[in-house]
Amino acid sequence: MEKVLELIKVDKRFGQYAALTNITWSLKQGECAAIVGGNGAGKSTLLHILAGLIRPSGGSRIAHIDPLRIGYVPERFPATRFRPTEYLRHVAAIQGLAKSEAARRIDAMMAVFQLPDTSMMRSSKGMLQKVNLMQALLRQPDLLLLDEPLSGLDEASQAEMVGILNETKRLGTAIVMSVHEPLLISSVADRVTRLSRGRIVHEGPPEIRISREEDEMRLEFANVAAHLLSELEEASGFLRWETKGKTGAVIVRASIADDVMLHILQSGGSILGVQRLHERSGAAGVPAQSARKGALA
Amino acid sequence: MMPLIRYMIANYTRSYRYFAPVAFMLISVVFIYAYRPNPIMDSYAVTAALLFIGSAWLGMNFLNHDQGRQAVLLIVQSGSAGRYYIGQYLAIILIVMMFSLFAVGYPIAANMFDKPITMSELVIGYSAHAVLSMLGASLSMYFQSGWMENQGRAAGLLLLVMIVSLAGQSVGNQLPEAASLVRYLLPPVWLVMDMMVNAPVRGQAVQILAILYAWLYSLVLLAVYVWCALRRDAAVPAQKGG
């Protein structure tokens, strides 16, 4: 895989304060790096340097693709006085997308994100975060930078975000995200860069941990017969329905999740997504990609 | 560049913060022509000076209207910080040029002058309005919230610069003979006004030189602004502590 961006011995000082020191780091196409670290570790400064929004005090930032198309998702998206489609049409024009292509992408994204086209001034934080991600993905970027992308999102939106990021990565976009949530790290990241006081103190693959039996799993399914739903309700590890029906979602104990999935598949049903809900052991949740993901391609 | 400018203007006009400077420019021009007849170049000198004040006000208002919250995204989306800064400037210039057209065209359309306007008066009159609007817009770039955190102080300083720019002739007269050329370092609003008020005695060459000087002065202000802006960090993550 070709390198997308490289930092060589980068320093950044704000006055006397050294925000980053001697950072040598690179990222390849289709790779996802999670930047972790406490407050003041230098995560946002690193993201801004990668985005070209901050000039390094020393060292160099080398883009190996010219021009490098960057999508940037700030932690807080500033609500504008536009509706999402109006705003995205402006963004598409600024990025040089043709009108017809922009309309196709915007329609597809509005469907994928299931976003109502109402004024952003009246939108919730979760809805704004969706617009935030949409503006960054509108023109398939070479490099996607995300600052705390799951911040303020509910569980369903988080799972959706994980699916979209995996799909974006599959399409060849390199992703760098400043994150706290283990869900995102274990589900999307290929490697983890840990910063402390502006220095890289660890670089390596994310830890994959296995679910413990008492963990809760969310299984999303389709084409399941009514009698199977009744049987599932009576199983000892069944917890609750999220959506009950031929297509729906159920919350079960991790201990019976494999059996339930096997049963659904053997009866002719489909599994659309699997997600671990409660963080007890830090285990991985891996949402399956739904059919909607194709809209991003 | 046009889509960026279109977005900036659309975003600004939806904020309704444009109301005060726009109302100032429109009402003051209409007020100046409340009675007829009016001398052509003297009236144009006054409305051009008012437009200079209105443009500086509108420029500052435009640059501050969303506290720079969109700046980082627009820089990434447009692909370059330089494009973003120039886009901001051109958006302001586009708006104030429309008011220049209004200020020059309104008295002609409403037949408010004491005699028919000649082509050279029209050209000099419009050029003076355009160049003073541009000068006001160029000055405002330095007083935006991204450059001066204390906006109360920024507004006061801009007001002071506007007064000195209008009173450059008097400032020069107060200085010793040897230092009187210092007035040419001040924004040349006074020079353009003097050229218009004394149009019959100055001659066309002086009129064109005054307009060219004000135009060059604005371009230098813009160039220095963009040069400095590109050497600053567009984002300040230290505020977040990450």
Side-chain angles (χ1 to χ4, degrees):
Chain A
M1 280 282 189
E2 193 189 331
K3 270 186 189 172
V4 173
L5 192 69
E6 192 171 11
L7 300 181
I8 301 171
K9 294 185 175 176
V10 162
D11 296 322
K12 181 62 192 178
R13 287 182 300 278
F14 295 105
Q16 296 295 310
Y17 176 69
L20 290 176
T21 307
N22 198 25
I23 302 289
T24 295
W25 194 85
S26 65
L27 193 70
K28 293 175 186 159
Q29 278 180 336
E31 189 181 22
C32 176
I35 311 290
V36 300
N39 286 341
K43 304 190 296 290
S44 292
T45 307
L46 180 59
L47 278 187
H48 283 121
I49 284 184
L50 293 171
L53 292 165
I54 282 186
R55 297 157 59 88
S57 309
S60 35
R61 168 190 181 272
I62 301 167
H64 291 278
I65 297 174
D66 186 34
L68 180 67
R69 292 194 303 199
I70 296 176
Y72 175 59
V73 180
E75 185 180 4
R76 288 183 203 89
F77 179 75
T80 66
R81 288 177 171 78
F82 298 100
R83 287 182 286 115
T85 52
E86 286 176 323
Y87 173 72
L88 292 170
R89 271 200 295 271
H90 277 294
V91 173
I94 291 169
Q95 293 178 333
L97 271 179
K99 264 190 180 177
S100 55
E101 172 67 3
R104 190 185 69 80
R105 298 274 304 171
I106 292 167
D107 285 349
M109 283 193 158
M110 292 296 286
V112 169
F113 285 83
Q114 297 176 307
L115 193 65
D117 196 20
T118 52
S119 169
M120 280 196 254
M121 301 305 278
R122 291 192 292 271
S123 296
S124 67
K125 190 175 178 188
M127 284 155 78
L128 286 178
Q129 192 65 349
K130 287 182 179 180
V131 181
N132 196 3
L133 190 62
M134 287 160 83
Q135 60 79 23
L137 292 174
L138 199 51
R139 183 186 55 169
Q140 185 67 41
D142 300 309
L143 174 63
L144 178 63
L145 303 166
L146 306 106
D147 199 350
E148 305 292 353
L150 297 191
S151 160
L153 293 186
D154 57 27
E155 279 185 355
S157 300
Q158 288 190 11
E160 205 165 11
M161 181 77 88
V162 168
I164 288 162
L165 291 180
N166 271 318
E167 176 62 9
T168 305
K169 197 171 77 163
R170 191 187 65 77
L171 292 170
T173 294
I175 301 175
V176 185
M177 50 190 191
S178 148
V179 279
H180 285 114
E181 297 85 356
L183 166 69
L184 201 54
I185 297 172
S186 53
S187 308
V188 188
D190 300 306
R191 62 190 171 101
V192 175
T193 300
R194 181 170 292 282
L195 289 176
S196 176
R197 295 180 180 181
R199 292 176 187 273
I200 294 177
V201 292
H202 174 76
E203 178 91 56
E207 292 174 35
I208 304 292
R209 287 163 283 188
I210 307 302
S211 297
R212 291 201 321 211
E213 289 198 346
E214 65 269 31
D215 281 340
E216 290 180 15
M217 303 288 283
R218 177 181 180 278
L219 309 179
E220 199 178 342
F221 54 80
N223 300 322
V224 173
H227 70 89
L228 201 65
L229 299 177
S230 308
E231 282 177 33
L232 180 52
E233 264 177 4
E234 285 161 20
S236 64
F238 171 83
L239 294 172
R240 61 187 179 276
W241 293 108
E242 192 173 278
T243 321
K244 190 176 177 183
K246 195 176 170 188
T247 297
V250 63
I251 314 297
V252 296
R253 290 271 180 234
S255 55
I256 68 156
D258 288 349
D259 289 340
V260 171
M261 285 191 282
L262 188 64
H263 211 48
I264 288 172
L265 292 170
Q266 282 175 342
S267 69
S270 308
I271 299 295
L272 300 179
V274 183
Q275 185 193 353
R276 186 185 51 76
L277 292 183
H278 291 296
E279 173 63 16
R280 288 182 189 165
S281 62
V286 186
Q289 300 299 299
S290 71
R292 286 180 292 158
K293 72 184 181 182
L296 287 173
Chain B
M1 186 67 92
M2 268 319 286
L4 181 62
I5 294 171
R6 203 176 298 128
Y7 172 76
M8 287 172 170
I9 292 176
N11 194 38
Y12 178 57
T13 50
R14 288 195 183 202
S15 76
Y16 308 109
R17 292 186 65 171
Y18 66 87
F19 181 79
V22 165
F24 167 77
M25 285 190 276
L26 289 178
I27 293 169
S28 57
V29 168
V30 172
F31 186 75
I32 294 293
Y33 295 107
Y35 301 99
R36 68 159 70 95
N38 298 280
I40 296 173
M41 293 311 273
D42 293 84
S43 306
Y44 273 168
V46 176
T47 52
L50 287 170
L51 230 59
F52 162 72
I53 296 167
S55 299
W57 185 2
L58 185 135
M60 199 169 155
N61 187 269
F62 181 94
L63 295 165
N64 291 344
H65 82 274
D66 77 342
Q67 285 85 45
R69 290 178 303 166
Q70 292 273 318
V72 165
L73 279 175
L74 286 172
I75 288 172
V76 174
Q77 287 161 355
S78 64
S80 123
R83 201 170 294 154
Y84 170 74
Y85 296 126
I86 300 281
Q88 275 189 320
Y89 182 74
L90 291 179
I92 299 169
I93 291 295
L94 261 179
I95 299 172
V96 296
M97 284 304 143
M98 287 195 310
F99 291 105
S100 295
L101 271 178
F102 171 75
V104 173
Y106 170 73
I108 300 171
N111 196 24
M112 288 296 183
F113 288 135
D114 53 2
K115 57 181 182 185
I117 188 167
T118 65
M119 183 50 79
S120 80
E121 283 172 329
L122 181 64
V123 170
I124 294 286
Y126 181 73
S127 304
H129 280 81
V131 84
L132 290 195
S133 303
M134 197 173 160
L135 196 53
S138 302
L139 278 174
S140 69
M141 311 286 278
Y142 292 86
F143 296 91
Q144 59 181 296
S145 57
W147 284 53
M148 281 196 187
E149 209 170 322
N150 185 335
Q151 277 298 287
R153 188 177 301 163
L157 275 174
L158 180 59
L159 196 63
L160 190 70
V161 171
M162 286 195 291
I163 292 167
V164 171
S165 308
L166 289 161
Q169 187 83 305
S170 313
V171 172
N173 292 341
Q174 302 299 315
L175 296 170
E177 186 64 28
S180 67
L181 286 180
V182 168
R183 63 188 162 167
Y184 288 98
L185 295 177
L186 300 173
V189 182
W190 61 275
L191 187 66
V192 175
M193 284 183 70
D194 174 72
M195 169 275 287
M196 295 177 85
V197 172
N198 301 306
V201 289
R202 293 282 185 260
Q204 216 157 42
V206 173
Q207 292 178 334
I208 292 169
L209 275 177
I211 286 169
L212 275 180
Y213 182 65
W215 184 68
L216 273 175
Y217 196 100
S218 299
L219 283 187
V220 170
L221 281 179
L222 173 65
V224 172
Y225 168 77
V226 173
W227 188 83
C228 294
L230 290 176
R231 270 147 193 82
R232 292 160 59 100
D233 290 329
V236 190
Q239 287 175 349
K240 208 192 87 180

